[in-house]
Amino acid sequence: MNDYLAYRADGHGTPIMVKQGFHWSLLVFGPLALLASGRWIAFALTALVSVLLLRCGGGAGLLLSWAFNVLLAVFGAEVIGWDARLKGYASNGLWMGRSAEEARLRLMDKDRAAL
């Protein structure tokens, strides 16, 4: 079972489920993984940091960029959650499931039971 933090805009609509834990895609692809998932603000800022590390890091620039990818992979859920909050989403609890869809179904079941 995985943990997913739900973000919902104004309490309505389909929630965004953010997997908690290590993000392998961010380790391998870095900021490009954020671009592929539609996180434009987070992509722009992390790509800027990555380019600055490569450009200004001198001989150790590649190593610094790789270390930045490791940090992104470890703190990826926080970066994605921060991007969602900037877009007007609010946290809607932590849900467990084998996939994001299963965790979303559990959240929707709770909403139906509350009516």
Side-chain angles (χ1 to χ4, degrees):
M1 295 287 251
N2 296 317
D3 295 333
Y4 292 90
L5 192 56
Y7 290 94
R8 188 181 279 174
D10 295 331
H12 300 25
T14 305
I16 298 172
M17 305 304 280
V18 178
K19 182 179 179 245
Q20 302 297 295
F22 194 81
H23 288 258
W24 286 99
S25 61
L26 290 173
L27 177 67
V28 175
F29 299 111
L32 291 177
L34 293 169
L35 178 64
S37 67
R39 311 285 175 217
W40 295 96
I41 299 169
F43 163 73
L45 292 175
T46 56
L48 174 70
V49 170
S50 185
V51 167
L52 284 174
L53 288 173
L54 280 171
R55 189 81 173 128
C56 300
L62 192 58
L63 181 63
L64 290 172
S65 181
W66 179 81
F68 182 66
N69 282 2
V70 171
L71 281 174
L72 272 179
V74 171
F75 296 105
E78 286 80 7
V79 172
I80 294 169
W82 171 75
D83 185 77
R85 287 189 307 274
L86 283 178
K87 292 179 181 176
Y89 288 80
S91 178
N92 200 14
L94 188 66
W95 300 91
M96 293 185 71
R98 287 183 215 105
S99 65
E101 290 77 28
E102 185 177 318
R104 186 176 292 117
L105 282 174
R106 289 177 187 215
L107 171 62
M108 297 296 187
D109 284 343
K110 189 247 347 162
D111 289 345
R112 277 193 212 123
L115 294 175

